[in-house]
Amino acid sequence: MTLSLNIDTRAWRANVKAVHDEFPGLVPVAKGNGYGFGLDVLAREAARMNDDCIAVGIAQEVAVVRAAGWSRDVVVLNPWRPFDPVATALLEDPGVISTISRLEDLDEVSRSHPRARVLVEIRTSMNRHGITAEEIASVGLGSLTFEGWSLHFPPTGVLAEAQQLASAAVAQQRGAVWVSHLNALDYRRLRTHLGVRTRMRMGTRLWMGEPTALTTTATVLDVHRTSRGSRHGYHQMRASRDGWIVVVSGGTAHGVALAAPPSQKSLRSRGVTVAQGMLDAVGMSLSPFTVAGKKRPFAEPPHMHASMLFVGGAEPGVKVGDEVPVTCRLTTTTFDELRWN
Ligand SMILES: *Cc1c(COP(=O)(O)O)cnc(C)c1O
């Protein structure tokens, strides 16, 4: 009765291992919903790989990976801010490395927690967090424990930018350079160019880089006949034609039908938006569930743990207990169960 993430354990771990081999100094990222696996699972896999350090997104996630048994270093990726008491308490934790992204914060932390372990983040073309290239020369670390420089790039990883920013940083203060989203070749080039230790933070490619190793399925919980004009669901909508109501596991609690807005960059994604809009106009929304080989519309908006689908025609093509494919965005889905096959 579950929404399941099915893992081909051998193929999945083979990818995790291959990525480690390809990126020396790899720091696994375990943040948010743990890329569908959960932070506890990812922390245990990092321990299995004998990693020396794991990266979490926010201060609150440190306790989660600790509870899962992770005892080595943890880097907090979200930069420290003076108004975050949880992040501030971690400045005293000898196993935690905090990220500092503004000169004023660096001043404050070096005064309030002079021995804290810190990374200094530099602003890249992402323009998210970090001190600017011009500010690098003003970085003073006092007696802080400097763990290195941190740079976060867009997924198209830009070697020239990485080399330029990191060279300026290392010239100001020698230390490791922590990066994201460079390909293996550029990562190696950067290390050779800088002559310091490099650390690659990675989540998506590490945990989701072998898509054939991961399938997501829902269970058919009920199948009922319906006819044109008959009502169903909380909203008592009418079936537009004869067919079947198929109830499957997976609802709002799992993040089903929850989509991040598309970037609208490609014409294709705009086309999909238009098609969805047309379905919406007739009161039907295409669901992510595949029944009898086709994605089926929701009969009504998803419920907490289940969804009602409409399958037209003489036969529903599924029976209670069947497993059906469901398209999930792993970073927005909470699974009931992980099945390690
Ligand atoms: C999330 C994050 C990463 C990992 O990104 P992926 O695309 O999942 O590999 C690396 N660095 C920072 C700063 C992040 O926030």
Side-chain angles (χ1 to χ4, degrees):
M1 278 219 0
T2 55
L3 189 70
S4 303
L5 175 58
N6 308 281
I7 304 142
D8 176 341
T9 310
R10 271 182 61 174
W12 186 74
R13 286 199 171 136
N15 176 67
V16 169
K17 166 85 169 59
V19 171
H20 273 81
D21 293 343
E22 216 180 342
F23 294 91
L26 185 84
V27 178
V29 174
K31 65 182 179 189
N33 73 338
Y35 298 83
F37 294 86
L39 300 181
D40 52 343
V41 168
L42 298 187
R44 284 195 284 272
E45 289 298 320
R48 237 185 127 261
M49 292 306 299
N50 204 22
D51 292 317
D52 63 338
C53 183
I54 201 171
V56 297
I58 57 173
Q60 285 80 355
E61 291 170 344
V62 172
V64 183
V65 296
R66 288 280 186 244
W70 180 262
S71 56
R72 297 183 173 177
D73 284 352
V74 184
V75 172
V76 181
L77 298 177
N78 259 38
W80 179 86
R81 287 289 181 267
F83 46 77
D84 184 342
V86 180
T88 300
L90 290 174
L91 293 170
E92 286 165 29
D93 186 328
V96 172
I97 301 172
S98 303
T99 302
I100 310 292
S101 71
R102 302 186 302 172
L103 288 178
E104 66 205 269
D105 293 345
L106 194 58
D107 275 353
E108 183 162 343
V109 170
S110 61
R111 259 185 279 114
S112 66
H113 297 81
R115 312 236 166 269
R117 300 175 68 188
V118 299
L119 291 176
V120 177
E121 180 166 1
I122 300 168
R123 189 116 38 107
T124 69
S125 48
M126 281 281 289
N127 203 19
R128 190 168 77 171
H129 302 301
I131 65 165
T132 63
E134 295 72 42
E135 289 172 327
I136 291 172
S138 311
V139 167
L141 292 153
S143 53
L144 288 169
T145 308
F146 182 60
E147 298 285 348
W149 299 96
S150 176
L151 298 106
H152 187 44
F153 297 106
T156 46
V158 245
L159 178 64
E161 183 189 4
Q163 286 184 339
Q164 207 174 344
L165 288 172
S167 301
V170 169
Q172 168 74 9
Q173 173 70 50
R174 210 174 158 77
V177 171
W178 303 56
V179 296
S180 60
H181 296 153
L182 291 179
N183 65 42
L185 183 61
D186 286 354
Y187 181 61
R188 204 172 329 130
R189 284 182 178 140
L190 179 70
R191 186 211 321 260
T192 311
H193 177 81
L194 295 172
V196 297
R197 186 162 193 221
T198 49
R199 309 232 46 181
M200 182 72 175
R201 296 180 301 259
M202 195 187 288
T204 305
R205 231 192 105 191
L206 178 63
W207 309 122
M208 295 159 53
E210 181 53 75
T212 59
L214 302 171
T215 59
T216 47
T217 52
T219 313
V220 176
L221 303 176
D222 251 318
V223 179
H224 311 299
R225 190 186 281 284
T226 186
S227 52
R228 179 187 158 86
S230 295
R231 295 185 184 275
H232 56 258
Y234 287 127
H235 299 274
Q236 289 292 287
M237 303 215 289
R238 291 178 189 276
S240 58
R241 56 200 174 99
D242 293 354
W244 304 83
I245 297 291
V246 174
V247 187
V248 292
S249 59
T252 54
H254 304 94
V256 160
L258 204 173
S263 72
Q264 299 290 17
K265 211 171 178 178
S266 71
L267 268 180
R268 196 193 148 270
S269 67
R270 289 184 193 196
V272 168
T273 309
V274 169
Q276 183 60 64
M278 281 158 67
L279 263 178
D280 287 346
V282 295
M284 293 270 245
S285 203
L286 198 61
S287 85
F289 299 91
T290 297
V291 173
K294 267 169 61 179
K295 287 258 171 71
R296 303 295 176 166
F298 284 113
E300 74 162 353
H303 302 174
M304 188 73 86
H305 286 109
S307 294
M308 296 176 77
L309 313 179
F310 179 78
V311 175
E315 294 297 332
V318 282
K319 58 184 190 315
V320 172
D322 283 356
E323 299 273 315
V324 298
V326 50
T327 306
C328 295
R329 194 169 190 250
L330 291 190
T331 50
T332 59
T333 308
T334 307
F335 294 97
D336 295 316
E337 193 173 270
L338 266 52
R339 291 188 191 145
W340 299 89
N341 301 311

